[in-house]
């Protein structure tokens, strides 16, 4: 809570963005081949985009005036109240971050499945 919580949360976004960037760089530098590595790179790119969107979205949310969001019917039915300004639109667009993180997690699933299948195939080859 408070401003300390926001600062730590935003710093976590920056750190995660850096870690994903390093992972992406290391995968490309190492020249790993295979479809799993391609999926993992796509995951990294999408998660980096998500981190940027979430980072901006948190600032947009903090910039909203008190009473700009109505949660009378609960958190899941929050409404952005009029008048709509540029800041409201930035908040609204960044609140759609699930449209980026969902495909990112799907690419992570595909990468992990590909790695698992490769490992299983290698084990079976070793047994023959």
């Amino acid at each position: 809570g408070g401003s300390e919580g926001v600062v730590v949360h935003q710093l976590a976004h920056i750190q995660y963005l850096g870690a994903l960037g390093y992972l992406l760089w290391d995968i490309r530098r190492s020249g790993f081949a295979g479809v799993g590595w391609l999926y993992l790179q796509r995951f990294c790119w999408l998660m980096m985009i998500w981190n940027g969107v979430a980072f901006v979205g948190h600032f947009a949310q903090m910039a909203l005036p008190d009473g700009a969001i109505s949660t009378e019917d609960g958190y899941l039915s929050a409404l952005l109240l009029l008048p709509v300004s540029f800041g409201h639109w930035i908040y609204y667009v960044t609140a759609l971050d699930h449209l980026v993180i969902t495909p990112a997690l799907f690419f992570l699933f595909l990468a992990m499945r590909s790695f698992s299948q490769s490992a299983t195939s290698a084990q079976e080859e070793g047994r023959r």
Side-chain angles (χ1 to χ4, degrees), residues 49-86:
I49 292 168
W50 174 81
N51 264 290
V53 168
F55 187 82
V56 171
H58 294 321
F59 280 123
Q61 184 178 13
M62 289 187 313
L64 288 176
D66 290 338
I69 301 172
S70 170
T71 56
E72 290 178 6
D73 295 329
Y75 175 76
L76 295 177
S77 62
L79 297 172
L80 195 56
L81 302 175
L82 297 174
V84 177
S85 65
F86 181 71

Side-chain angles (χ1 to χ4, degrees), residues 61-121:
Q61 184 178 13
M62 289 187 313
L64 288 176
D66 290 338
I69 301 172
S70 170
T71 56
E72 290 178 6
D73 295 329
Y75 175 76
L76 295 177
S77 62
L79 297 172
L80 195 56
L81 302 175
L82 297 174
V84 177
S85 65
F86 181 71
H88 283 79
W89 279 109
I90 295 294
Y91 169 74
Y92 181 76
V93 169
T94 58
L96 299 173
D97 63 342
H98 58 280
L99 297 175
V100 179
I101 199 168
T102 303
L105 294 175
F106 183 67
F107 278 120
L108 179 61
F109 163 75
L110 292 175
M112 295 297 110
R113 185 177 69 174
S114 175
F115 295 147
S116 175
Q117 289 172 346
S118 295
T120 303
S121 297

Side-chain angles (χ1 to χ4, degrees), residues 37-60:
W37 295 105
L38 180 63
Y39 289 145
L40 191 58
Q41 288 180 46
R42 290 180 182 167
F43 162 77
C44 288
W45 278 115
L46 287 171
M47 286 303 291
M48 288 168 63
I49 292 168
W50 174 81
N51 264 290
V53 168
F55 187 82
V56 171
H58 294 321
F59 280 123

Side-chain angles (χ1 to χ4, degrees), residues 10-31:
Q10 292 292 71
L11 287 173
H13 276 295
I14 293 170
Q15 184 179 16
Y16 189 37
L17 182 68
L20 288 166
Y22 177 77
L23 177 61
L24 181 64
W25 172 78
D26 198 40
I27 292 169
R28 292 174 154 229
R29 179 185 60 88
S30 301

